[in-house]
Amino acid sequence: MEIERVAVIGAGPCGLGVAKYLLAEQKFKSVTIFEQRDKPGGVWNYTGDEGVSNASLARPIPSQEPQQPVNGIFTSPVYDSLETNIPKSMMQFTEYPFPEDTALFPPHAVVKDYLHRYADELLPYIRLQSLILDVNLSKKHPKPEWSVTWRDLKTNEILVEQFDAVIVANGHHNDPYIPEISGLAEWNQAHPGSIIHSSSYRRPESFSNKKVIVVGHSASGIDIANQIGRVSRHPLLISERTETTLSPEQAAVSKSFPEISLISVEDRRVQFADGHEERDVDHIVFCTGYHFSIPFLSGLQPPIVTDGVRPHHLYQHVFYNKEPTLALIGFPQRIVPFPFSQAQGAWVARVLSGRLPLPSEVEMERWIGDWTVTRGEGRNFNTLAFPLDASYINFLYELSSRAARKDGLENDGNGKRPPFWGEKEKWTRARFPLIKKASQALGTRRGEIKTLEELGFNFERDYVPDAEARL
């Protein structure tokens, strides 16, 4: 099948990463990148208090409507003091390192500037302020064709264009998940602004001397709880679906509870699943993550999106097996997004350019079934925490290396090189929590640290192959 026109939806890190691999193939007549914001970089474009909504009603199912701007702003979930929880040596795109003087865990403004520089050469291909409304498959032509409908936010005009392939890379921080809890709507109406999702969190000062519950204890929940716990009334209350061990620092100022079962306006009372009650609660912050949600694909049958827990019908987490001219980039959880998107992008670009075949639909379906047996139907299906992410990145590297050679391409005709994680990368990846903890322990001095070695992590000195195999 001849692919000539490719649409990439999203000019955040994943969209930018895949676009460079598409262009490196020197094959396609057009590569068009749609971005709803007025600049590339996705959610790393910090918006501060602009566009933040205090509406916090239950959102237990994915939205069927595209994300809309609030007062012309597509709100970013980036909060004031956010820095990466991934060291820069692993965060960066393979061929484009952060400047040497960048902090080991770069602040969000540094990441934004890095992405803007990375996007410079792609600007001629990016249509900014273009909100995707619908992506529809038509098989009336000799080959499959995708109709992409979008709104030009500068003119408010609705436009339609046809493509041979569509790559969705719009991320999964657009549709907040808030569980349905008895009394939530009444509380929200009686005390507007006292319940928020982490996507609206910006700074801890408004929680000073307040009684606060933080719901959820994954990456953002831990970070936000640490910030709020420095200023709130103690103990800070942490509610989590699956019990985890609090760090010694958190245990000193926090107390852990199970899920919330009921919220009552009377006495500002919160009841937990074990029957325990807390009264006079001032704030509840839901750090409960986001739905897997792609509203503009809602007409696709069979659907990729169902209950918002994970995607469906994706071969190797990328290709829609019913029509593999549709691909998704960067959607698995617990990954390192920048190199991960490059690994997926290298494979997708080689497939769409015709240099690398896909297996049959039956074989792709078989892989999905086997992966479901191994990982289950729920969230684990889409979770590739270490060491799965390392194995996956290197699997895609090997797969991409099988593509047919073509004169004129870089890397001696083999095409733009995808990332590969050697022993040092895997050693570093296994130690992310320890590295972050050591950095946090330095307080405000952590911004002065530029390398892992300055924190005491030295691969050449400490790497022991047999020990790594047991991690």
Side-chain angles (χ1 to χ4, degrees):
M1 187 189 333
E2 191 73 12
I3 305 292
E4 297 181 338
R5 305 160 297 172
V6 182
V8 177
I9 299 176
C14 295
L16 299 174
V18 69
K20 292 207 175 185
Y21 281 93
L22 291 169
L23 293 170
E25 288 294 304
Q26 301 178 27
K27 166 72 174 176
F28 309 107
K29 287 186 177 179
S30 68
V31 174
T32 305
I33 309 164
F34 293 93
E35 171 55 50
Q36 61 191 17
R37 290 175 169 84
D38 60 0
K39 52 181 73 70
V43 296
W44 289 98
N45 288 292
Y46 170 76
T47 53
D49 296 326
E50 292 186 87
V52 170
S53 170
N54 285 325
S56 292
L57 297 175
R59 302 180 66 164
I61 60 173
S63 172
Q64 294 299 307
E65 298 296 326
Q67 184 186 11
Q68 297 295 326
V70 180
N71 299 324
I73 301 291
F74 284 97
T75 308
S76 164
V78 167
Y79 45 89
D80 291 9
S81 60
L82 178 72
E83 58 187 35
T84 71
N85 59 355
I86 299 170
K88 66 180 180 184
S89 59
M90 299 287 287
M91 176 89 174
Q92 62 202 10
F93 292 115
T94 304
E95 81 286 15
Y96 194 75
F98 278 96
E100 284 187 14
D101 62 350
T102 303
L104 183 63
F105 292 96
H108 64 80
V110 173
V111 179
K112 178 198 71 174
D113 291 342
Y114 169 85
L115 290 171
H116 287 182
R117 291 193 302 272
Y118 188 74
D120 275 347
E121 66 185 55
L122 295 173
L123 290 177
Y125 304 93
I126 301 176
R127 294 182 186 172
L128 297 170
Q129 294 183 273
S130 298
L131 175 63
I132 301 297
L133 302 177
D134 187 50
V135 174
N136 185 49
L137 175 64
S138 167
K139 292 192 175 180
K140 296 178 182 177
H141 302 270
K143 61 181 181 179
E145 189 174 65
W146 297 91
S147 291
V148 175
T149 304
W150 79 98
R151 174 179 284 116
D152 185 329
L153 296 175
K154 299 183 292 293
T155 65
N156 210 34
E157 185 179 6
I158 293 179
L159 303 161
V160 182
E161 190 168 342
Q162 277 69 45
F163 295 90
D164 303 311
V166 173
I167 300 172
V168 178
N170 65 331
H172 42 71
H173 293 93
N174 300 318
D175 191 0
Y177 166 70
I178 297 177
E180 198 158 11
I181 300 173
S182 177
L184 179 65
E186 291 79 6
W187 181 303
N188 194 60
Q189 186 174 12
H191 308 292
S194 64
I195 297 178
I196 65 168
H197 186 269
S198 60
S199 58
S200 298
Y201 172 81
R202 293 296 176 264
R203 60 196 67 88
E205 285 74 17
S206 60
F207 302 96
S208 294
N209 300 313
K210 303 292 187 181
K211 188 171 186 177
V212 183
I213 301 175
V214 174
V215 182
H217 203 236
S218 291
S220 65
I222 292 170
D223 196 25
I224 290 172
N226 284 338
Q227 293 185 32
I228 293 176
R230 297 187 190 112
V231 301
S232 68
R233 191 186 309 173
H234 292 166
L236 173 70
L237 310 176
I238 296 176
S239 166
E240 44 192 335
R241 180 168 45 196
T242 304
E243 186 177 359
T244 57
T245 303
L246 300 181
S247 69
E249 296 82 6
Q250 280 194 320
V253 298
S254 307
K255 191 170 181 182
S256 184
F257 293 96
E259 289 180 281
I260 295 173
S261 58
L262 180 143
I263 295 173
S264 174
V265 173
E266 182 183 351
D267 297 334
R268 298 176 78 107
R269 179 169 55 92
V270 174
Q271 181 177 303
F272 298 91
D274 61 357
H276 178 81
E277 291 186 353
E278 289 285 341
R279 297 175 186 271
D280 301 317
V281 172
D282 295 302
H283 293 281
I284 304 175
V285 181
F286 283 96
C287 299
T288 40
Y290 298 81
H291 291 291
F292 176 80
S293 174
I294 310 177
F296 53 77
L297 286 180
S298 58
L300 196 63
Q301 291 298 327
I304 289 178
V305 178
T306 56
D307 58 3
V309 172
R310 68 165 181 89
H312 295 264
H313 304 293
L314 293 186
Y315 173 63
Q316 293 289 353
H317 309 285
V318 175
F319 285 100
Y320 180 55
N321 70 315
K322 303 301 181 182
E323 179 44 65
T325 51
L326 174 66
L328 275 65
I329 298 289
F331 281 92
Q333 301 287 298
R334 306 281 298 280
I335 60 169
V336 183
F338 291 24
F340 194 93
S341 69
Q342 287 192 298
Q344 292 184 323
W347 179 38
V348 169
R350 284 160 167 79
V351 169
L352 295 183
S353 71
R355 294 201 297 125
L356 192 62
L358 283 174
S360 68
E361 182 180 338
V362 171
E363 290 174 281
M364 289 193 282
E365 190 72 49
R366 183 179 300 122
W367 178 87
I368 295 169
D370 291 346
W371 185 258
T372 304
V373 169
T374 303
R375 301 291 293 169
E377 287 280 5
R379 296 182 190 279
N380 279 347
F381 183 97
N382 201 43
T383 300
L384 296 182
F386 183 80
L388 290 177
D389 58 348
S391 299
Y392 183 80
I393 283 174
N394 289 353
F395 165 72
L396 292 186
Y397 176 90
E398 298 296 339
L399 195 57
S400 295
S401 70
R402 300 174 198 165
R405 187 182 173 281
K406 179 184 172 185
D407 287 340
L409 298 184
E410 57 187 272
N411 189 23
D412 192 31
N414 292 301
K416 183 175 174 65
R417 192 187 300 272
F420 179 87
W421 281 3
E423 294 308 313
K424 183 174 184 179
E425 287 79 14
K426 289 186 279 189
W427 181 89
T428 304
R429 177 68 178 96
R431 285 158 179 77
F432 276 8
L434 295 174
I435 296 167
K436 185 65 175 180
K437 183 178 179 181
S439 172
Q440 293 284 5
L442 296 175
T444 55
R445 283 187 48 239
R446 67 184 180 275
E448 301 169 14
I449 301 298
K450 309 295 192 294
T451 66
L452 291 170
E453 289 73 19
E454 291 176 73
L455 272 183
F457 294 87
N458 189 307
F459 171 75
E460 283 72 20
R461 181 192 67 203
D462 299 333
Y463 173 66
V464 180
D466 290 343
E468 295 307 307
R470 292 194 296 269
L471 279 174

